[in-house]
Amino acid sequence: MKLITRNTDYALRAICYIAQQDKVVAVTELVKVLGVPRPFLRKILQRLSQKRILESYKGQAGGFRLKGQPQKIFIIEVMRVFQGEIALNGCFLNKHVCPNKGKCILRKKIKLIEDDVFTQLKRINIASLI
Amino acid sequence: MKLITRNTDYALRAICYIAQQDKVVAVTELVKVLGVPRPFLRKILQRLSQKRILESYKGQAGGFRLKGQPQKIFIIEVMRVFQGEIALNGCFLNKHVCPNKGKCILRKKIKLIEDDVFTQLKRINIASLI
DNA sequence: GACAAATGATACTAATATGGTATCATTCAT
DNA sequence: ATGAATGATACCATATTAGTATCATTTGTC
Ligand code: FES
Ligand code: FES
């Protein structure tokens, strides 16, 4: 049960570093600082710029920069990029969705916990991590 | 990000059913009711009786029964049986534990959420699911 | 006691998700 | 022109979860 996977983790660290630089940061620099395998980090950063969390600059002297302000980037967005829609559970009965889902007490209780986790995750922005 | 895996889910449903019967319940009956693949369910039930959540009876007319009272079985125990120690995250840098762990703000925040999830999970017992 | 109906133990396989590589195309400052 | 950067995409590796298969042991019933 991991709330945050490795790529989200790497992403967050990269974002935090970039947020603190006042320039366009290239992968080479991030690799040195974070110690993450270069091709993997590249993939992660590409994804972040596709999702408009980072801005990318191609060509020589290119690299990445935050697209918005650190206060306005919340970690749940980053999680969603790498972990998809965050849903803590789903009841299955041999591949089919459980017919009992509406009534199920367990599901309701888990849902409450889930909502709680969301609320808390939604509050954490990049600025607060620096 | 799943809070509850499939085997935990099956386990909980089996426990709930057994809790409502006033007799020793055999796998055959549970398979009918829950629609879970028999060998898989058997493995799950065996594990639950190893961990003293169920009591098993061998031989003809054998099966499973709750070991304790439904009020005293909490879902977090069942989760631990199948999902091990519940820890929402851990920072890694290429297989090594992150040297920054102590200071890391993200980790601290996640830890708070984690603790919260625990507290809530610890409150849910089987009786409350029936 | 034989037998059938149940669980115990254990090893194996399959599917999925995550983590990570490799390669080539495109852009752009110099 | 060129080389240093990202874009796109396909591929491989590892770990976790889900599920099967097989044989041994126990026990109630006839
Ligand atoms: S949603 Fe299926 S039993 Fe709870
Ligand atoms: S624990 Fe390693 S950077 Fe947060």
Side-chain angles (χ1 to χ4, degrees), chain A residues 9 13, chain B residues 91-93 98-102 104-107:
Chain A
D9 188 275
R13 278 192 267 163
Chain B
C91 173
F92 306 97
L93 277 166
C98 177
N100 191 31
K101 204 164 184 178
C104 181
I105 308 177
L106 175 61
R107 225 94 261 143

Side-chain angles (χ1 to χ4, degrees), chain A residues 17-92:
Chain A
Y17 180 81
I18 293 170
Q20 292 175 85
Q21 299 321 106
D22 200 22
K23 61 170 189 194
V24 170
V25 183
V27 171
T28 307
E29 183 175 345
L30 286 165
V31 166
K32 274 183 200 143
V33 178
L34 304 177
V36 168
R38 185 188 173 94
F40 193 31
L41 186 56
R42 249 160 67 69
K43 194 161 91 170
I44 289 167
L45 294 168
Q46 273 184 28
R47 207 114 170 250
L48 287 171
S49 74
Q50 282 165 356
K51 298 291 182 176
R52 315 279 166 144
I53 290 170
L54 296 180
E55 234 167 17
S56 76
Y57 298 86
K58 290 169 104 179
Q60 208 174 41
F64 299 86
R65 189 154 68 176
L66 281 213
K67 194 163 179 75
Q69 293 179 305
Q71 297 81 22
K72 296 196 178 154
I73 304 172
F74 295 87
I75 71 171
I76 196 163
E77 297 169 48
V78 180
M79 289 174 71
R80 274 203 267 257
V81 169
F82 297 100
Q83 303 172 217
E85 258 319 302
I86 313 279
L88 293 180
N89 77 109
C91 173
F92 304 97

Side-chain angles (χ1 to χ4, degrees), chain B residues 4 8-9 11-12 14 25 31 37 41 43 49 52 54 66 74 84 86 90-91 97-98 104 109-110 115 123:
Chain B
I4 288 187
T8 306
D9 187 275
L12 288 172
V25 183
V31 166
L41 186 55
K43 194 162 89 170
S49 75
R52 316 279 166 146
L54 296 179
L66 281 214
F74 295 87
I86 314 279
C91 173
V97 173
C98 177
C104 181
K109 300 206 177 220
I110 297 289
D115 289 345
R123 290 205 193 108

